[in-house]
Amino acid sequence: MTTSTRAGGPAAVKMVGWYEPGQLLKTALDVVFSTTLGRHADNRRAQALTPMPSPYIDLSGRDHLDDEGSFWLDYVADCGDGGSSTYAVAAGVAAPTCNGLPRASLLVFGGDQVYPGASRKHYDERLVAPYQEALPTPPQPQPAVLAIPGNHDWYDSLASFTRLFCSGEDFAAWKTRQSHSYFAAKLAGGWWLLGVDVQLDHDINLLQLKYFRDQITAREIQPDDKVIICCPEPFWITEELERRRGLEITKTNLQKLIDALGSRLRLTVAGDLHHYRRHSGPNETQWITCGCGGAFTHPTHDSLPARLRSDLRHETSFPPSETSRRMARGNFLFLFKNPQFGVLTGLLYLMIAWGLGTHMGERFASGVEIEEIGRIPITEPLRIARAAAHTALINQVSMGFILVLILGFVLFTDGRYRRFRWFGGIAHAVIHLVAASFVYWLATYLLITVWGLQPKAMLQYFFAGWIIVPAGWILGSVIMGLYLWLSLNLFGQHPNEAFSSLKIQDWKGFLRMRVSKEGTLDVHFIGIREVPRKWQRGPAGGPRWVAADGRGSCEIVDRVSLS
């Protein structure tokens, strides 16, 4: 069922609940299976057995130019998370003009076209439907569409992506032009667009390198031509993070292609990070991250320096860093933004309680200490923690479970810095263990001293669960939110986890680029600060949905010219 058949329009497709237990499990399985199978069944090798109809896609003809002789192209990446956010961007792309700029004759999708994972249903509901509704009738001449896959597109080994973009059929009102998951397109004014596929290994394979370097760069691209590279992830950001970790940076196949292009490379654009960020390099080359097509917003107040690799200078970000910092405080409300996540912590705390047994509860809720519990001094929580630790250490089952639990938290922790992974993971696990111990102590205290149940009674075990699970639901969720906020704001870690929990629909946008007849490339970032939450039917012959709450206005946030 597509959004056009649902009451409420685009808003009927909700943002993905990344912290819902079922979604967490499915995402983990997708990552494991796609990574394992992708390395042994690389779809790019199979594509290489099918020859391309021509060495490159020629879009330099007069029928792709406007009345002034200019060529226009749009770039959109990271779509299909929420219905309203994806449709708001699609409406800007599909409009006859947007902030005075005409509709482009080429639409480029830059990776991760759909969330949470690739499937025919998700593509149809979360990507195709919004663009069909935004532009129900194909204009003439029909605009073209090109796409490269991101890691989420690879979750089904590229089957759905290939069906949609490599079959020669229409994508909504746009005509597909490619036969492979990577492409080279000749644009007007001596400009070229190279779209690369880095699969799940963060690099192009050898077959792509030979195609782009030995066939396109060496034989087709002229010395005075200029090149745009479209990559599904900002490798220049990844390289900086690896450099700061002290890792040795090895030359990838993608870097070999960049070296072969030399000064002809003028613009590199990527998605994967769901914000807009532009860096300037030597000779005014531009390095742009623009993953604002419809997914949850990523932070921009991270710890990246103003310069990358000593030669890339930060120019601007959207949202601004201070706005991003304020949005991060939403993790204080993690419990309310991700209510289903508490199922996991509630059950986790119950398992910890079962592991500890009743010894700790008896120690504090039986004998002469019953009379003292009502007058517990401020230092008494330390005695509870010591009792829990003692009980765990003398119980082999409890100790084994706790070690596995700590290892799980270490694996969950952001792995960009090994020290933080161990320090943060162990600290996070210990905090939950201490919290679970206090929840268990509280349940035992209430059941024995207040309700008068006998220690080790079956009713105590039964009723304790009805206290521990809800308390663990609340307390575990609060601890998770605080951990994510501290990790991001104090250590610059977990940007993805900290902001996926917020499910922010706003701060979206796309690139609209113009190649003038003189050969100048003007790059405009068109931003949408607030995405509409309510929609109503649009006028006949126009988009099927229009904003009903005054939100969704587009603005030119950033602009740069390249020659």
Side-chain angles (χ1 to χ4, degrees):
M1 183 181 293
T2 64
T3 55
S4 61
T5 63
R6 293 185 176 184
V13 178
K14 304 299 183 182
M15 299 287 286
V16 175
W18 295 101
Y19 281 86
E20 295 174 4
Q23 184 57 55
L24 285 170
L25 176 61
K26 187 177 186 307
T27 300
L29 293 176
D30 282 341
V31 171
V32 170
F33 286 125
S34 62
T35 301
T36 303
L37 296 176
R39 289 175 177 168
H40 299 284
D42 192 338
N43 190 283
R44 297 174 300 182
R45 299 174 187 169
Q47 292 180 47
L49 300 176
T50 304
M52 291 187 176
S54 60
Y56 59 85
I57 301 167
D58 192 353
L59 299 174
S60 61
R62 183 68 186 84
D63 55 333
H64 297 288
L65 307 180
D66 65 10
D67 294 338
E68 296 180 357
S70 298
F71 179 87
W72 293 86
L73 68 151
D74 286 346
Y75 173 89
V76 180
D78 299 278
C79 319
D81 186 344
S84 290
S85 54
T86 300
Y87 182 80
V89 174
V93 169
T97 61
C98 185
N99 293 96
L101 307 178
R103 181 168 50 220
S105 59
L106 171 64
L107 170 60
V108 180
F109 284 113
D112 286 346
Q113 276 69 251
V114 68
Y115 290 93
S119 71
R120 182 165 189 159
K121 177 179 182 294
H122 283 158
Y123 271 105
D124 289 345
E125 181 182 67
R126 295 180 173 270
L127 182 68
V128 177
Y131 280 82
Q132 278 182 335
E133 294 167 349
L135 190 57
T137 304
Q140 296 301 324
Q142 188 176 11
V145 61
L146 298 172
I148 56 173
N151 60 302
H152 287 263
D153 299 297
W154 269 97
Y155 283 174
D156 69 345
S157 298
L158 225 60
S160 300
F161 176 94
T162 302
R163 174 190 65 83
L164 189 59
F165 293 109
C166 303
S167 63
E169 301 296 327
D170 287 350
F171 166 84
W174 290 262
K175 182 68 176 178
T176 60
R177 297 294 300 270
Q178 65 196 87
S179 58
H180 292 58
S181 61
Y182 51 91
F183 60 82
K186 183 179 181 180
L187 311 180
W191 283 87
W192 289 77
L193 176 66
L194 307 184
V196 301
D197 177 6
V198 300
Q199 205 234 24
L200 298 170
D201 289 328
H202 314 292
D203 193 16
I204 61 174
N205 57 353
L206 186 59
L207 294 172
Q208 276 188 87
L209 176 62
K210 291 181 178 180
Y211 166 70
F212 284 117
R213 184 186 62 183
D214 301 341
Q215 186 171 356
I216 299 300
T217 302
R219 301 179 185 178
E220 304 294 346
I221 300 178
Q222 301 303 307
D224 294 333
D225 287 347
K226 291 148 286 190
V227 177
I228 305 167
I229 284 185
C230 179
C231 185
E233 54 191 51
F235 55 88
W236 57 97
I237 301 291
T238 305
E239 288 177 0
E240 177 62 26
L241 294 175
E242 292 179 349
R243 187 176 291 105
R244 294 173 63 183
R245 291 170 60 192
L247 300 179
E248 181 180 355
I249 307 300
T250 58
K251 181 171 287 190
T252 62
N253 288 332
L254 182 56
Q255 188 60 54
K256 293 176 183 177
L257 170 60
I258 292 174
D259 292 344
L261 291 170
S263 61
R264 289 174 289 186
L265 178 60
R266 306 294 291 126
L267 171 64
T268 304
V269 60
D272 193 53
L273 298 180
H274 310 161
H275 55 229
Y276 175 78
R277 177 178 279 158
R278 178 167 66 86
H279 288 83
S280 295
N283 302 317
E284 296 305 312
T285 57
Q286 301 297 310
W287 304 75
I288 295 177
T289 306
C290 184
C292 310
F296 66 87
T297 300
H298 269 137
T300 57
H301 69 284
D302 51 26
S303 57
L304 285 175
R307 289 182 177 271
L308 302 179
R309 328 186 303 196
S310 75
D311 63 353
L312 295 185
R313 181 180 67 255
H314 175 254
E315 299 292 350
T316 186
S317 295
F318 179 89
S321 59
E322 285 306 312
T323 301
S324 173
R325 194 178 303 277
R326 288 196 303 271
M327 290 191 294
R329 297 169 192 161
N331 275 301
F332 296 146
L333 301 175
F334 184 94
L335 169 65
F336 303 101
K337 293 180 179 292
N338 305 275
Q340 295 186 34
F341 177 78
V343 173
L344 297 179
T345 56
L347 294 176
L348 175 65
Y349 282 29
L350 182 61
M351 294 174 68
I352 294 173
W354 284 344
L356 293 175
T358 61
H359 302 291
M360 184 180 69
E362 290 178 9
R363 179 172 305 188
F364 287 92
S366 63
V368 296
E369 292 194 12
I370 292 180
E371 301 300 325
E372 301 175 1
I373 286 176
R375 300 186 298 275
I376 296 177
I378 192 66
T379 57
E380 193 66 28
L382 298 177
R383 293 177 59 192
I384 300 173
R386 286 197 300 269
H390 176 73
T391 303
L393 289 172
I394 64 175
N395 188 320
Q396 294 180 348
V397 175
S398 297
M399 193 61 193
F401 173 73
I402 289 173
L403 289 176
V404 171
L405 179 67
I406 291 175
L407 178 60
F409 275 93
V410 169
L411 294 176
F412 165 78
T413 305
D414 197 325
R416 289 182 292 178
Y417 295 94
R418 185 172 298 177
R419 289 183 180 178
F420 179 81
R421 162 163 273 188
W422 284 102
F423 166 76
I426 293 174
H428 191 193
V430 168
I431 291 172
H432 279 289
L433 287 169
V434 171
S437 300
F438 278 96
V439 168
Y440 176 67
W441 168 83
L442 176 63
T444 305
Y445 166 69
L446 291 174
L447 292 170
I448 294 177
T449 65
V450 177
W451 288 298
L453 295 180
Q454 293 297 316
K456 292 188 177 182
M458 289 302 297
L459 284 177
Q460 179 198 345
Y461 288 113
F462 178 76
F463 287 114
W466 290 95
I467 298 174
I468 294 171
V469 172
W473 189 312
I474 296 171
L475 191 56
S477 296
V478 171
I479 291 173
M480 174 62 78
L482 292 175
Y483 166 77
L484 293 175
W485 183 85
L486 288 169
S487 298
L488 176 63
N489 290 276
L490 295 186
F491 303 100
Q493 304 298 296
H494 285 297
N496 189 63
E497 292 79 6
F499 267 61
S500 64
S501 69
L502 304 179
K503 296 182 278 192
I504 298 171
Q505 301 184 66
D506 300 320
W507 305 96
K508 299 299 174 276
F510 60 99
L511 296 179
R512 176 153 290 179
M513 294 176 267
R514 169 181 176 260
V515 178
S516 69
K517 61 181 179 182
E518 293 80 17
T520 300
L521 178 68
D522 296 319
V523 183
H524 310 82
F525 172 65
I526 299 177
I528 304 172
R529 295 178 186 267
E530 288 188 292
V531 167
R533 270 56 168 180
K534 296 180 180 180
W535 302 89
Q536 62 188 14
R537 287 287 183 177
R544 291 181 182 169
W545 302 101
V546 295
D549 56 7
R551 301 177 181 179
S553 59
C554 297
E555 60 180 288
I556 299 177
V557 177
D558 189 30
R559 175 179 175 177
V560 63
S561 294
L562 304 172
S563 58

